[in-house]
Every structure is written in C-alpha cells, then in structure tokens.
Amino acid sequence: MPAASPYTAPYARPRPPAAPPKSPPGPPSRPPRLPPKPPSRPLSTPLRPLYGYARVLLTVDGNGTAEGQLLGGTVSFMSARTHAAPVFGNPDHWPAGLPVKPRTARHSPQRITAATDEAFHLRFLAQSAVPDAQMVTVGETVHLVDVVTGSAATLTPTDGSWRVCEGGPVKLWERIERVLDAYDVASAPGPETFTLHVYDGGQHLRHPQMSGLPLPRP
C-alpha cells in the first residue's frame, strides 16, 4: 500500500460540523401595546355678525361632547365666507318703527366698541346674547339691526348720556345690558374663566357667576 503523501494528509481541511436541525416556528409575537389615544383638541373661533370673536381650545370626549376654556387676548382667525352677515339694507329705514319716546341707556355702546381687550371680550359676550344682531354707526347714532327677528335699536348721545329706542320682538340693547350688568356684578371676569360646552343639544357659554349664554350652531 503506498505511503500517504506528507503534503496532503496533515494539511487536509476538516469538514465543518453539520448545522443543528431547525426548531419549528413558535407562535407569532404580539405587536407592542400602544398607549391610549389622547382626546382630540381642536382650536375653534366662534364668531357672529356683531364681530364678537373668541378662541377656545376644545377637548373632545369619547361620547361626542366637547368643552374648553376661552383663550385670552385679541388674536383671532379671518372671518370665513359662511360667517358673512346678512344684508340689512339702509340703517336709516329701520328706526321708522321705533318708539318715539326713548329711555336712558344703562351702558354706553363704547363698552363693546372701544379698542381695548375688555371691549373685545365684552363684544363676544354681547353677541352671544343677541346672536343675529349687527351694529353700524351713522353720524353719532349707533344702530343695532336683527334681520332674523325684525328687531332694531338706536343709541344716541344726549347731554353726557345715551338714549336708546328699541322695537321689534327682541329688545336688543336691553339684552346686551343684562349681560353687561352680570359681568360687572361678577367683578369683570376674564375670558379664561368662561367655558364653552358643546353637545347634541347645542353649545353654551358658562361662567360660575353668570347665567349661561346659548350660542347658535355653527
């Protein structure tokens, strides 16, 4: 038998060991559990024809309701076309059916027309009381017109006070004065103290020291 070559046997490469048999696949792993989805928080800008603006950050609940506090400041969004006020015609025509004898107004219209943060806030509260009213000034006379109810009011400065005439089914300035009275009694609460509640029955603006103000549906 021939002798083994000294150049092959000692240097032969050993075969690699056989791979172990694969184990059968186990059950599929479960996906990681995600944290519960936080409630959505849309930012809304309620506005109406009196150009009373407010911002509210709503928290939407799982049952379809939402609520949130009004935000401070005078920043707001641009008015959308769907919020355009209805045309009320010539304001000089509306006072024709108003009472001849006026009364003394408890509040000046400047409380909701002045260029101040408080007047900005009060204008929204006033608009909540008369949601369809519009305001325009002709000369020194301030006109309030509600084409939905057919109501109107005028405020005219006289001897350091304001005289108001109101007509129609809704006493527009009287409603605004009630809100201003309640606001003063509550020590002039800021926007952040008001909460907007939205639910199936509508939406209401509430304050712990004032009567709730219903807001029309958007």
Side-chain angles (χ1 to χ4, degrees):
M1 182 176 180
S5 171
Y7 301 102
T8 57
Y11 302 100
R13 180 177 298 175
R15 295 182 178 180
K22 295 183 178 180
S23 58
S29 59
R30 295 182 178 180
R33 185 183 298 274
L34 299 177
K37 184 179 179 181
S40 57
R41 305 190 70 189
L43 181 64
S44 177
T45 303
L47 56 94
R48 298 298 294 169
L50 199 65
Y51 299 104
Y53 294 83
R55 290 180 303 153
V56 56
L57 187 60
L58 295 171
T59 298
V60 180
D61 201 351
N63 57 6
T65 63
E67 68 175 46
Q69 292 180 329
L70 299 187
L71 304 179
T74 59
V75 177
S76 188
F77 301 142
M78 180 183 297
S79 176
R81 291 178 63 89
T82 54
H83 295 111
V87 179
F88 58 82
N90 188 343
D92 290 333
H93 295 165
W94 284 85
L98 298 181
V100 177
K101 187 178 181 180
R103 67 173 177 86
T104 301
R106 299 194 304 274
H107 297 278
S108 162
Q110 294 173 348
R111 293 205 61 184
I112 64 173
T113 60
T116 63
D117 288 0
E118 182 182 51
F120 183 91
H121 175 46
L122 286 176
R123 190 157 55 250
F124 176 71
L125 299 183
Q127 186 72 84
S128 302
V130 287
D132 297 304
Q134 304 176 62
M135 177 181 286
V136 62
T137 302
V138 179
E140 293 185 338
T141 301
V142 177
H143 297 258
L144 281 170
V145 178
D146 183 349
V147 299
V148 176
T149 63
S151 305
T154 60
L155 292 104
T156 306
T158 305
D159 298 330
S161 63
W162 288 82
R163 306 287 286 176
V164 57
C165 290
E166 298 175 286
V170 178
K171 300 299 184 284
L172 298 176
W173 192 246
E174 174 65 27
R175 282 196 178 183
I176 292 177
E177 286 182 318
R178 291 175 190 170
V179 173
L180 296 178
D181 289 342
Y183 174 84
D184 292 339
V185 171
S187 301
E192 299 86 353
T193 62
F194 289 81
T195 302
L196 179 64
H197 298 263
V198 182
Y199 51 97
D200 289 340
Q203 46 187 358
H204 281 74
L205 187 65
R206 294 191 172 98
H207 186 274
Q209 296 177 289
M210 296 178 62
S211 300
L213 295 170
L215 273 67
R217 291 180 178 272

